[in-house]
């Protein structure tokens, strides 16, 4: 059983992963490259825990205990005793492989090196280490404390033992694991990203307003959120990077990022985290 976890990156996904690990009683270390980023991440986790208390999902004492199980550091060397480390940095292959290469030199020999990538093939990430048999995709979904699904993605080099331990870790967190093949996009994003891009193209072409596109899918198809609001939640930069990774692998036109998406990312209109995307979020 996994007891000691490290998380690299403390944005939306890293903070969420750290929170669910701490809420499950694990000892967690979160690493980021600067103190300011760590402070923002700690605040993000604290706010999320307070929200859970307010919703009656946990007590104040349990929330305080969970936050107390998380340590924040700028020094990856503190991961030397971790049984599993998850990288949750930006969805750029070079950045992820750099992190995994560093972790490879620090973590114990039998530790699991996990990536929260949503689209990059795990085999590419595993070859950046000396132990691709210990590298596996563990793809959580945003918001991590709420959504139960986690994709576990073994590469051709991932050992059966590593895959089994990764699935057990996911279940330990109270999540549902699905095992996906190691192809860009895995299961969910292979279906989701073309859908989001189609909605963006519809808005770009003026076929309907963002509000009407989203209302159509919420009210007509019983989706909990429309595709453009969901793109804002994911982050338009992340949608763009996932689409580009999938297009690079498959060269299929449906994965090509629309011009509107490219312009919005260039303008910094990244969605909820930036305060503006297809909608405005004045509280951000």
């Amino acid at each position: 059983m996994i007891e000691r976890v490290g998380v690299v990156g403390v944005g939306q996904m890293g903070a969420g992963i750290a929170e669910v690990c701490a809420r499950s009683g694990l000892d967690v270390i979160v690493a980021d490259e600067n103190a300011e980023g760590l402070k923002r991440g700690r605040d993000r986790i604290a706010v999320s825990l307070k929200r859970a208390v307010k919703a009656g999902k946990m007590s104040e004492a349990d929330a305080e205990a969970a936050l107390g199980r998380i340590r924040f550091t700028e020094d990856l060397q503190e991961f030397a005793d971790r049984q599993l480390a998850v990288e949750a940095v930006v969805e750029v292959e070079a950045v992820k492989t750099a992190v995994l290469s560093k972790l490879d030199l620090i973590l114990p020999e039998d530790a699991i090196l996990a990536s929260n990538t949503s689209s990059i093939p795990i085999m590419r990430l595993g070859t950046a280490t000396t132990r691709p048999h210990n590298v596996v995709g563990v793809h959580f979904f945003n918001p991590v404390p709420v959504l139960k699904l986690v994709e576990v993605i073994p590469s051709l080099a991932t050992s059966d033992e590593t895959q089994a331990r990764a699935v057990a870790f996911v279940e330990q967190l109270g999540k549902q694991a699905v095992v996906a093949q190691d192809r860009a996009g895995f299961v969910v994003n292979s279906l989701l990203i073309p859908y989001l891009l189609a909605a963006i193209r519809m808005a770009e072409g003026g076929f309907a307003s963002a509000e009407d596109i989203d209302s159509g899918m919420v009210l007509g198809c019983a989706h909990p959120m429309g595709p453009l609001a969901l793109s804002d939640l994911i982050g338009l930069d992340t949608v763009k990077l996932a689409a580009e990774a999938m297009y690079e692998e498959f060269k299929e036109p449906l994965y090509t990022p629309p011009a509107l998406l490219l312009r919005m990312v260039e303008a910094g209109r990244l969605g909820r985290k930036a305060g503006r995307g297809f909608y405005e979020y004045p509280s951000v």
Side-chain angles (χ1 to χ4, degrees), residues 215-225:
S215 293
M217 297 308 295
V218 171
L219 301 176
C221 296
H223 288 201
M225 182 181 293

Side-chain angles (χ1 to χ4, degrees), residues 180-254:
Q181 289 189 3
D182 187 22
R183 43 167 279 162
F186 317 130
V187 172
V188 174
N189 277 342
S190 289
L191 298 170
L192 177 63
I193 293 298
Y195 163 62
L196 299 182
L197 299 181
I200 294 171
R201 290 190 186 99
M202 183 172 284
E204 179 180 55
F207 290 103
S209 68
E211 292 81 0
D212 285 348
I213 292 169
D214 282 350
S215 293
M217 297 308 295
V218 171
L219 301 176
C221 296
H223 288 201
M225 182 181 293
L228 301 179
L230 179 56
S231 296
D232 277 358
L233 177 63
I234 294 169
L236 299 184
D237 52 342
T238 301
V239 172
K240 170 182 173 290
L241 290 168
E244 289 173 339
M246 294 165 69
Y247 181 77
E248 180 183 350
E249 174 140 326
F250 302 115
K251 299 298 188 293
E252 294 184 12
L254 76 165

Side-chain angles (χ1 to χ4, degrees), residues 57-98:
K57 296 180 179 178
M58 63 190 312
S59 68
E60 286 191 20
D62 286 343
E64 290 178 7
L67 192 58
R69 295 187 193 102
I70 306 174
R71 286 183 286 145
F72 298 84
T73 183
E74 297 176 53
D75 185 5
L76 279 180
Q77 293 296 330
E78 294 192 33
F79 281 39
D81 69 339
R82 301 292 94 178
Q83 297 166 290
L84 180 148
V86 184
E87 69 75 17
V89 297
V90 65
E91 190 74 1
V92 175
E93 184 174 335
V95 178
K96 290 183 178 293
T97 54

Side-chain angles (χ1 to χ4, degrees), residues 3-161:
E3 297 176 344
R4 299 180 302 280
V5 173
V7 180
V8 183
V10 70
Q12 280 186 328
M13 296 305 297
I17 294 167
E19 179 185 337
V20 297
C21 288
R23 286 171 66 166
S24 297
L26 307 185
D27 178 82
V28 184
I29 300 178
V30 176
D32 196 76
E33 59 186 5
N34 61 69
E36 182 181 345
L38 289 171
K39 182 182 182 304
R40 286 197 304 269
R42 189 186 190 284
D43 291 345
R44 183 178 283 116
I45 294 170
V47 167
S48 179
L49 290 169
K50 287 180 182 177
R51 191 180 300 123
V53 171
K54 187 175 181 179
K57 296 180 179 178
M58 63 190 312
S59 68
E60 286 191 20
D62 286 343
E64 290 178 7
L67 192 58
R69 295 187 193 102
I70 306 174
R71 286 183 286 145
F72 298 84
T73 183
E74 297 176 53
D75 185 5
L76 279 180
Q77 293 296 330
E78 294 192 33
F79 281 39
D81 69 339
R82 301 292 94 178
Q83 297 166 290
L84 180 148
V86 184
E87 69 75 17
V89 297
V90 65
E91 190 74 1
V92 175
E93 184 174 335
V95 178
K96 290 183 178 293
T97 54
V99 169
L100 290 170
S101 295
K102 292 176 183 177
L103 291 173
D104 185 29
L105 301 175
I106 296 168
L107 265 66
E109 187 175 328
D110 61 347
I112 295 174
L113 299 174
S115 172
N116 187 55
T117 180
S118 61
S119 59
I120 302 170
I122 302 304
M123 191 69 255
R124 292 188 203 164
L125 302 178
T127 55
T129 76
T130 62
R131 42 174 146 173
H133 58 285
N134 284 353
V135 179
V136 65
V138 181
H139 178 216
F140 292 80
F141 289 81
N142 185 38
V144 179
V146 176
L147 297 184
K148 292 187 69 67
L149 180 69
V150 180
E151 291 178 315
V152 173
I153 310 102
S155 77
L156 290 174
T158 304
S159 70
D160 291 343
E161 180 186 1

